Amino acid sequence: MALQPSLRPLIIAGRPDAPHTLDIFLDYVCPFSAKLALTIDTVLKPLLGPGGKYDGKVKAIFRPQVQPWHGTSTFTHEAGLAVARASPESFWSFSLALFIHQGEYYDIPSSTLTPLQIRENLAKLANEVTQSQSVTDEIKDLLSLRSSPNGGVAVTNDLKYTIKFSRQNGIHVSPTVLWDGLIANEISSSWGEKEWTEFLATKVVV
């Protein structure tokens, strides 16, 4: 599937030139997405990464899936995209940390916070991951509102791209997974190593 050059850090597993593609649509504030994210880290990345059985054959792309009924979904995805730009190598680590801490961004815990406070908290989490004040300062700048009254932040265009991509492909829920461009409805957030191993074995000729 297509991916604009500035979003290459969203390739979270496998080689960019791998012939097969898993497009994985996740929302940072979705519990089921968090469950799948942990499986990606422990099961898929080893299978698709260096030395893995499907190294060079399959890549996995994180597709940000903003769910507007989660009030902080836009803010969390902006933060992910800001990290992807400021520290590409930290994108997945930050994403995983955000999934682990997603409860802090649920509706009730975040209900008394302003957008500026939410963005500040996300920048603090990014600092914990990157351990770099200069990177954190860049992320804060990327998440700062532009001079135009309704101009968004520096990564708003990246966010628009990801939302438009989801819409044109008819993605409605998170998580949703595409295999080579087609929705694989059988894939579930409850899948473990057994299910993923069996799925890949039927799809890839090694």
Side-chain angles (χ1 to χ4, degrees), residues 55-74:
D55 180 17
K57 298 182 181 297
V58 182
K59 63 181 174 293
I61 301 176
F62 183 132
R63 297 289 187 175
Q65 176 70 2
V66 174
Q67 304 283 34
W69 46 86
H70 296 313
T72 64
S73 187
T74 293

Side-chain angles (χ1 to χ4, degrees), residues 106-206:
Y106 285 174
D107 291 345
I108 292 177
S110 64
S111 62
T112 60
L113 300 178
T114 68
L116 292 178
Q117 289 173 321
I118 293 170
R119 289 186 171 111
E120 180 65 27
N121 289 342
L122 289 163
K124 288 178 182 177
L125 181 61
N127 183 256
E128 293 176 13
V129 172
T130 66
Q131 295 290 299
S132 169
Q133 188 58 48
S134 62
V135 169
T136 302
D137 290 342
E138 183 178 354
I139 290 168
K140 286 183 177 180
D141 182 64
L142 290 168
L143 295 178
S144 297
L145 294 170
R146 303 294 94 179
S147 58
S148 170
N150 202 30
V153 299
V155 294
T156 294
N157 284 338
D158 286 345
L159 187 71
K160 288 180 179 179
Y161 173 92
T162 64
I163 292 172
K164 290 175 182 178
F165 185 86
S166 294
R167 287 176 177 175
Q168 77 170 14
N169 285 287
I171 307 302
H172 299 289
V173 299
S174 60
T176 295
V177 181
L178 275 58
W179 172 261
D180 288 345
L182 297 179
I183 294 176
N185 284 316
E186 68 270 32
I187 294 177
S188 167
S189 61
S190 64
W191 275 20
E193 183 174 4
K194 176 179 180 291
E195 291 82 4
W196 275 109
T197 300
E198 291 175 350
F199 175 82
L200 291 170
T202 64
K203 298 292 186 179
V204 184
V205 178
V206 179

